[in-house]
Amino acid sequence: MNGTAIHHYLAEYHRREASNNTPWLQEQGLAALEKFRNNGLPTTRQENWKYTDIGALARTGFITADARHNTIEHHRLDAVRIKGLDCYELIFINGQFSPTHTRLEGLPAGVMVESLGRSLPNPSATVREHLNRYADNDNYAFTALNTAFLTDGTLLVIPANAVIEKPVNLLYISNRQDQTLVSHPRNLVILGANSRATLIESYIGLDKAEYFTNTVTEILAGEGASLEHYKIQQESERSFHIGSTHVTQQKDSRYVSHSISLGGALVRNDITATLGGNGSETILNGLYMAGDRQHVDNHTLVNHLQPNTRSEEYYRGVLDGHARGVFNGKIIVHKNAQKTDARQSNANLLLSDNAEVDTKPELEIYANDVKCSHGATVGQLDENMLFYLRSRAIDEETARSLLTYAFADDVIRRITLQPVRDRLEYSVIGRLPDASLIREFV
Amino acid sequence: MLQIKNLHATVDGKEILKGIDLAVNTGEVHAIMGPNGSGKSTLANVLAGRDGYEITQGTILYNGQDLSKMAPEIRAREGIFLAFQYPVEIPGVNNIYLLKAALNAVRKHRGEPELDAVEFLALVRDRMKVVAMKDDLMSRSVNEGFSGGEKKRNEIFQMAVLEPALAILDETDSGLDIDALKIVAGGINQLRNRERAIVLVTHYQRLLGYIVPDFVHVLADGKIIKSGDRNLALQLEEKGYDWVKQETVAA
Ligand SMILES: Nc1ncnc2c1ncn2[C@@H]1O[C@H](COP(=O)(O)OP(=O)(O)OP(=O)(O)O)[C@@H](O)[C@H]1O
Ligand SMILES: [Mg+2]
């Protein structure tokens, strides 16, 4: 199986080689391709992929999306955009930048928000210095694949001391095309010292399209910088989504992630955060909801490299039907990282007898003066709560929906950006029976 | 209104109620007293329709209908209200929204128009006075972080809004301080009327000093072993449950 997949992606690489207009990147691309050729796609024999079988993905001969696949009816964007959100916006269709839909008016001086693809032929010193520096091509096969196929995505550079109040919204939309496509969006986010920004990455599938999104985001948070990062995954129910976020943090920086995973047939989200500076802080909030035969896997790795670093992780999962969830939260406290404060919790709600979840905290602690805690739970809806609601005249189904919503909302209500929060609450409720009734409650 | 005949019920396969007979008419207040573990809350839960409480023998008729076939939410809409001995906390479900949904479900069932937000709030403001409900409790999640006494007060506040035909109050007095007891008992008295029946489960004569019952029953080991008027409660206070038990054995 792996041989076929390797062969397929190598062929795809060479098919596209002629159109490559970024010679300076070619060496890195080839190196990544070589890693991919050697390592292949992950299998369930690897510890990190034990519960996630990507066989179906590996067997599909996805065609690499290109400029021809950049079509969408204009009116469809309205449904996808986040209502009431005043933001800068870049739109990609099947991974292809769509300049006509860009909204960047009033961008503060010095702040760069642009298509990475457009900046590649004449890269700035910043791009040359940072691109592909924080991504881990050695340990993440899909990241290596992304690097090999790197052609477009978003470049976000915030200079030192700059604050951009409006969020930057990246909409990655996939729709039905005449071929089964793969796109490899690549985002590079560089925050200068003491800068502050909010970034939203949305992945949205339309028309029940079948495709594969293989996305990578690299983030550098400079000294004292602060990033609020949302990843909203609402891919189509027939799609594959593999995404990894690689974050490197310097002294006193703060990185807050809200990863909300609602769509996709097979989904894997990786976040690696490296607390590489004294006093830096990482907050990872996550929610995954899956039903039918969806499979959703969240792996996080928090690396405490330096003293006085803090991490707090809070993930919740709701699994219904025959869905399968995986959560793996690894925390490594390195020898030097004294006074680390690391907390992690993962709670799962199983709504059906056929739903399943595997949750595993992994702590590796090499320092002696640290505070670490973790907890994982798997449970059903609370019978006492259900009875209480029913004794107050609420239908059983409505009561179940209401309690499910309350469980999920515990993550969503940590979102400070009101339009995003509204949109997600709407989406979450939309998945539940008796949606219109539940809406009255919130 | 409520007719319980030879009721036997099991919880998780264990027989707890062992032949209860009780008739409650509109307008009446019945007090049920009895030692810990005798089955008082079990009876209350059976009446409210909790899953896992199985009727193995006997019948419960409510306004002539067989209650055992009714889902808990239908019982609630038909006017049965249980004030819980241990009200559960429900994080993320707002107190006031739950109450609005509950009231409108009841009204819809009765064929009455649903209340809009403005009408509902006016009603809530009015009913809060019944038990001197604190404002800030209203906007919180159901019972979340409420003190023991606040939870009990919230139950009676819900009763005041929902206006049930049959209210079963399971140890609403326990956990209330002396002043709160007076307020809550006063509230229950305000809600007492000729159309409404109230079943009070309590351990203490003190509550019955405020809310004078028409009947007092002693439940022991899953059976009602003695019934009487308010004086029975006074006698129990004085002599304890052993006195009744011995008396029934003697008889
Ligand atoms: N799930 C259960 N499985 C087995 N036994 C149970 C279960 N629930 C209740 N019981 C038992 O049923 C008996 C009656 O309990 P119940 O709560 O009805 O008592 P009570 O009269 O309300 O007592 P109290 O005055 O302490 O509130 C007790 O012995 C209790 O342990
Ligand atoms: Mg009890």
Side-chain angles (χ1 to χ4, degrees), chain B residues 36-37 39-42 85-86 170-171 201 203:
Chain B
N36 293 132
K40 304 179 298 296
S41 293
T42 304
Q85 182 175 1
Y86 304 109
D170 192 356
E171 294 198 27
V201 174
H203 286 293

Side-chain angles (χ1 to χ4, degrees), chain A residues 382-397 402-403 405-407 409 413 437 440-442, chain B residues 45 48-50 71-73 76-77 81-82 84 88-92 97-98 101-102 105-106 142-143 155 158:
Chain A
D382 184 301
E383 288 298 328
N384 288 322
M385 295 184 192
L386 271 177
F387 178 58
Y388 190 92
L389 293 176
R390 295 180 73 189
S391 80
R392 298 301 180 253
I394 309 295
D395 265 325
E396 181 174 9
E397 195 170 53
L402 200 53
L403 293 176
Y405 173 73
F407 180 87
D409 195 49
R413 68 174 178 212
L437 263 171
E440 286 181 20
F441 276 87
V442 296
Chain B
N45 279 308
R50 192 182 193 115
E73 55 269 34
R77 291 171 202 174
F81 178 85
L82 169 61
F84 287 78
V88 62
E89 299 193 9
I90 313 183
Y97 288 117
L98 168 62
V106 171
V142 177
N143 293 321
E155 295 290 286
Q158 292 183 354

